[in-house]
Amino acid sequence: MKKEVSLSEKPAKLGGYALEQYAAYSGNLSWYDYVTAIPQAVFVVTGWKANGKENACLHSWSSFMGSGLDNFICILGKVNKAGHMYQSLKETKVCVLNFPSADIFDRCVQTIQNNQFETDEITASGLTAETAETIDAPLIKECFLNIACEFLWEQPLFEGSQEVAIAVRAVTVQMDSEAYDQTQRGRYGKHGYLFNIDQPTNPETGDITPYGPGTIEPSDFADV
């Protein structure tokens, strides 16, 4: 039986913690983030900070779409205006979107801890920084896909929000040749794209089913 899940009627605790405390700790998420648990692609946004140091921000909550053969757009759906990533994009107008596979995800997570202004965030996390060929921004060598982008626009999520949506447009794409063919490394499965799976939450009890990042296994269209 389908039930309405209200914004006003929430459990007092989420995963054993006070609801507001848990939401703030996990990135200022909405109650509906936990209820819906909609998966989103995981990638690392890289650029230069004003002091010339590498900036790396592990990111999700975004969407990708083409508009004509020559326009591939990413909407970075949730960017905090107080963070280095926002400042870097506003100052340089470029960034690289780096897509890791599961074998380097632990190092990508370390960029969260190594985010001091004076830190080379890619290098400090055990990853290799290279300069993108077409824009002035660093990329992560170990990621199987790198999309060099230029800034287009920003929009507050709602009036008075400290978080904005930012649109960037792909300038060039670099991809490991092993990822071209799904019968080799490919772009799906355990060596391919990672997805942030928000912790699926029981909206009545607040109980959470813990998950880490997930991958997609392609279906056999012959069986569909």
Side-chain angles (χ1 to χ4, degrees):
M1 180 176 67
K2 196 173 292 183
K3 298 181 180 179
E4 181 179 341
V5 179
S6 172
L7 283 173
S8 60
E9 297 178 5
K10 301 183 285 288
K13 292 189 175 182
L14 196 61
Y17 296 90
L19 179 59
E20 291 77 9
Q21 177 187 6
Y22 191 96
Y25 177 77
S26 57
N28 190 33
L29 299 183
S30 163
W31 167 235
Y32 282 164
D33 273 300
Y34 303 107
V35 171
T36 58
I38 298 171
Q40 305 279 345
V42 172
F43 53 98
V44 184
V45 183
T46 54
W48 298 120
K49 289 177 274 193
N51 58 1
K53 298 290 186 178
E54 306 152 7
N55 185 61
C57 181
L58 187 62
H59 195 75
S60 190
W61 299 290
S62 296
S63 58
F64 297 81
M65 70 291 295
S67 180
L69 288 175
D70 297 329
N71 289 286
F72 186 61
I73 310 298
C74 173
I75 306 296
L76 300 164
K78 182 181 169 71
V79 179
N80 192 313
K81 293 173 70 174
H84 296 156
M85 172 182 158
Y86 177 80
Q87 295 301 325
S88 173
L89 268 171
K90 292 293 287 184
E91 291 165 359
T92 68
K93 306 297 185 183
V94 292
C95 67
V96 180
L97 313 182
N98 306 267
F99 290 80
S101 48
D103 56 326
I104 64 166
F105 180 68
D106 57 341
R107 282 179 278 172
C108 293
V109 171
Q110 290 180 33
T111 63
I112 299 172
Q113 284 76 45
N114 296 314
N115 67 344
Q116 297 79 16
F117 188 64
E118 295 298 326
T119 301
D120 278 317
E121 298 177 22
I122 299 173
T123 307
S125 301
L127 297 163
T128 307
E130 294 184 340
T131 301
E133 294 181 358
T134 53
I135 63 171
D136 186 14
L139 61 77
I140 298 174
K141 179 181 179 180
E142 290 83 357
C143 288
F144 72 91
L145 175 67
N146 313 94
I147 306 177
C149 297
E150 60 184 5
F151 175 90
L152 291 180
W153 52 258
E154 70 171 81
Q155 175 68 39
L157 296 188
F158 53 88
E159 186 176 353
S161 173
Q162 179 63 19
E163 296 165 326
V164 296
I166 291 179
V168 296
R169 176 166 49 204
V171 177
T172 54
V173 171
Q174 293 178 242
M175 185 189 304
D176 289 347
S177 57
E178 293 85 356
Y180 288 2
D181 190 340
Q182 191 57 37
T183 63
Q184 298 181 33
R185 180 185 177 96
R187 277 158 272 178
Y188 304 106
K190 64 181 181 179
H191 297 302
Y193 294 113
L194 288 175
F195 284 80
N196 174 35
I197 302 177
D198 261 341
Q199 312 302 298
T201 301
N202 184 316
E204 295 180 344
T205 66
D207 292 336
I208 290 174
T209 303
Y211 283 114
T215 58
I216 289 178
E217 292 292 341
S219 64
D220 184 348
F221 283 98
D223 296 332
V224 175

